[in-house]
Amino acid sequence: MGRRWRLPAGPRPKLVSLRTTFAVSFAAVTAAVTILVGILSYNSAARLVRVDQQSVFTQVVQDVRDEVRQHAMSPDDFSSSRPGHDVVRPARTDVQVLGAQGQIMDHGSPVLPVTARDRDMAVARTAGRVVQHKDVRVQADLFRIATVSLGDGRGAVQVAQEFSDTEDLLRALQRRTLILMAAVVVAAGLFGWWLARRITRRLVVLTSAAEDVARTRQLGIQVPVAGLDEVGRLGRAFDRMLGRLAQSEEDQRRLVQDAGHELRTPLTSLRTNISLLRRIDELPPDSREELVADLSQEARELTDLVNELVDLAAGQSDAEPPQRVDLADLAEDVVGLARRRTGRDVVLSASGDTTTDGRPGMLQRAISNLVENAAKFDRGGKAPIEVVVTGPARPGTVRVEVRDRGPGIAEGDLVRIFDRFYRAADARSQPGSGLGLSIVREVAMAHGGAPFAYRREGGGAVIGFTVGGGIVPGAGRGE
């Protein structure tokens, strides 16, 4: 056989809390939105400012062109010493005047550079010709410069607009935008962390409770979760689930204890009779027949007890699909079977609408248990056993009761006859497990009803149950 190689176990993935995930996600979304809005806002603002500056400069140049075209103007007309010169020297512009040879006659502030193209405009014959220069650096500042010819070789006028201060303003705006975006992202992260703590605080409590249950296997832990939102609903549902699980565990424990107690009696009797089988040859024929009959009866009772325990522990056939059933029809089947088994006169009477939603097998078993209980305790009776099905006492409710003329039920036993394995003192000599009426209660509660029992006038007992309201999930199993 070759060697079997085992791959080394990799590092366990680090768990990330929901709180951290929520806070990071909130901060990431906020950061993305803030950056996007900041970039779009800055670009829009910068474009508007630049377009506005360009529009102002274009309009100034156009005004100068219109002026020199409409009037034959000389360089002296634009001199800074001439009254009214500010008409062509609008705010935030610099004007410099060139002579007929392209020389500077009235310099601007600062002095603007003069190129060959500018000198060509100074000697141009046509008024209003323009040459423009972009991004001209003058004394560390950037300018736009437009040179407008005066015509007839009289010179030219240079109009300049500084836009480096506009770019400085936009850079300052950009820095402030970045600072604001960073502040918003940090604030969003802190707010997201606070909000995540507030939202997940109750989820942390639920997680701790679930981990405590898994670690200690104690189902009685209280879950202190409040609120009307989904987390509050989850907490209350989790608390109810733990309560039902705890009750189910308690029911199972009690069922095992009660079943163990009830099984001891037939098993002890079987063990005693089996030990007598070793000396069956020494027994007289009558004793042999009695021993075999006892063994047969004990085995039958033990089988019935085990079957009832299985039915009870299995939740009364919850897998059976609910459907529309007629309790009168189910009772008729039970009555026919009871007549053949017991030879007794069993009569059925039904009135009203006896249909309901339920599981047929469970309901038939409950009616059968009632009839068998009546036949067992009224074994030598001559009066018929009566099965009465009536409905509805209220909308959707059907009532089933079985009447007998047996010894009846003591007042102190009426409230306990539906308990598991409970048997009245005067009934302990009768065969049975004490589970039949307990199953009736389980079936009734599972169908939204309840069992009942009372003493019958003139002797005997009336035992039955009501159903109605549809299937109740988990009802009848201690939930």
Side-chain angles (χ1 to χ4, degrees):
M1 296 179 61
R3 295 185 62 183
R4 298 179 61 185
W5 297 91
R6 177 178 298 177
L7 295 175
R12 296 182 62 183
K14 187 177 180 180
L15 297 179
V16 180
S17 67
L18 181 62
R19 179 182 301 171
T20 302
T21 302
F22 185 86
V24 172
S25 300
F26 187 86
V29 171
T30 304
V33 173
T34 302
I35 291 173
L36 179 62
V37 172
I39 292 175
L40 293 177
S41 300
Y42 171 78
N43 289 338
S44 298
R47 187 175 43 141
L48 289 174
V49 170
R50 291 189 179 108
V51 169
D52 180 68
Q53 291 290 92
Q54 181 65 41
S55 300
V56 170
F57 182 70
T58 301
Q59 186 62 44
V60 169
V61 174
Q62 186 63 40
D63 290 343
V64 173
R65 293 182 66 187
D66 293 342
E67 189 72 18
V68 300
R69 283 174 177 174
Q70 294 174 7
H71 307 91
M73 303 183 71
S74 66
D76 293 336
D77 294 327
F78 291 92
S79 174
S80 59
S81 60
R82 182 182 178 86
H85 70 280
D86 54 344
V87 174
V88 293
R89 290 174 178 265
R92 300 177 63 182
T93 59
D94 187 19
V95 176
Q96 181 169 279
V97 183
L98 302 180
Q101 302 301 319
Q103 73 279 14
I104 300 176
M105 296 184 62
D106 190 353
H107 63 78
S109 179
V111 179
L112 302 177
V114 179
T115 66
R117 296 176 64 190
D118 298 326
R119 294 187 184 95
D120 291 342
M121 292 298 102
V123 299
R125 307 305 297 176
T126 304
R129 292 182 59 187
V130 178
V131 62
Q132 294 195 23
H133 307 280
K134 295 182 179 179
D135 301 335
V136 179
R137 186 168 295 277
V138 181
Q139 298 181 3
D141 293 324
L142 291 177
F143 285 81
R144 296 185 184 92
I145 301 177
T147 303
V148 182
S149 65
L150 298 179
D152 295 330
R154 291 190 297 271
V157 177
Q158 288 183 300
V159 181
Q161 180 189 52
E162 181 183 357
F163 66 91
S164 58
D165 56 346
T166 302
E167 295 300 321
D168 292 340
L169 175 64
L170 293 178
R171 281 192 291 271
L173 176 62
Q174 186 181 51
R175 287 194 298 270
R176 293 185 180 183
T177 302
L178 291 175
I179 294 173
L180 180 61
M181 288 192 297
V184 170
V185 171
V186 172
L190 295 176
F191 178 75
W193 182 259
W194 173 83
L195 186 62
R197 285 194 62 184
R198 184 178 180 85
I199 292 176
T200 61
R201 180 170 51 196
R202 291 174 294 167
L203 291 177
V204 171
V205 174
L206 285 176
T207 303
S208 299
E211 290 174 346
D212 289 342
V213 171
R215 184 179 64 255
T216 63
R217 296 186 178 182
Q218 298 294 324
L219 300 176
I221 296 177
Q222 295 292 327
V223 182
V225 177
L228 301 177
D229 56 2
E230 288 79 0
V231 179
R233 290 169 53 195
L234 176 62
R236 288 187 290 273
F238 186 70
D239 191 51
R240 289 194 299 269
M241 180 189 70
L242 288 180
R244 291 181 177 180
L245 288 175
Q247 184 62 47
S248 179
E249 184 181 51
E250 175 63 22
D251 289 344
Q252 291 180 2
R253 184 189 62 80
R254 189 172 68 250
L255 176 63
V256 170
Q257 291 178 348
D258 293 343
H261 175 74
E262 292 298 322
L263 286 171
R264 288 192 187 97
T265 300
L267 288 176
T268 301
S269 180
L270 278 173
R271 190 181 300 112
T272 301
N273 287 333
I274 289 173
S275 65
L276 290 176
L277 287 176
R278 300 178 183 276
R279 298 185 298 113
I280 193 170
D281 294 337
E282 303 175 7
L283 299 177
D286 293 344
S287 298
R288 294 179 186 178
E289 292 294 334
E290 184 178 353
L291 177 60
V292 172
D294 286 346
L295 284 172
S296 178
Q297 178 65 25
E298 290 163 357
R300 186 164 49 251
E301 291 183 2
L302 185 60
T303 299
D304 292 341
L305 177 60
V306 170
N307 290 335
E308 289 179 336
L309 285 173
V310 170
D311 287 343
L312 200 60
Q316 294 296 313
S317 303
D318 278 357
E320 184 182 12
Q323 55 185 281
R324 195 69 180 173
V325 295
D326 191 336
L327 289 180
D329 293 341
L330 296 181
E332 186 176 1
D333 295 338
V334 171
V335 166
L337 183 61
R339 288 170 183 163
R340 293 190 295 271
R341 283 182 176 178
T342 65
R344 292 288 303 275
D345 186 13
V346 184
V347 297
L348 170 66
S349 62
S351 62
D353 182 9
T354 58
T355 59
T356 188
D357 293 324
R359 295 187 170 96
M362 295 176 62
L363 294 169
Q364 188 169 7
R365 178 62 185 275
I367 299 173
S368 178
N369 284 359
L370 292 177
V371 175
E372 290 176 2
N373 184 78
K376 178 174 63 177
F377 287 98
D378 190 15
R379 189 176 298 274
K382 301 299 183 181
I385 298 173
E386 301 176 24
V387 180
V388 181
V389 183
T390 56
R394 63 177 185 272
T397 301
V398 182
R399 178 184 178 94
V400 179
E401 59 182 46
V402 176
R403 306 168 181 172
D404 64 64
R405 287 297 184 183
I409 306 172
E411 288 291 341
D413 294 327
L414 285 174
V415 296
R416 298 194 59 190
I417 61 172
F418 294 103
D419 293 344
R420 292 175 181 175
F421 302 107
Y422 180 76
R423 302 176 71 185
D426 57 355
R428 291 173 184 169
S429 60
Q430 299 288 342
S433 63
L435 287 174
L437 295 183
S438 176
I439 292 175
V440 171
R441 182 192 65 181
E442 307 284 333
V443 173
M445 294 178 64
H447 288 78
F452 60 86
Y454 57 89
R455 297 168 61 87
R456 187 179 184 186
E457 186 177 353
V462 178
I463 306 177
F465 63 93
T466 60
V467 296
I471 302 296
V472 179
R477 297 197 303 273
E479 299 178 339

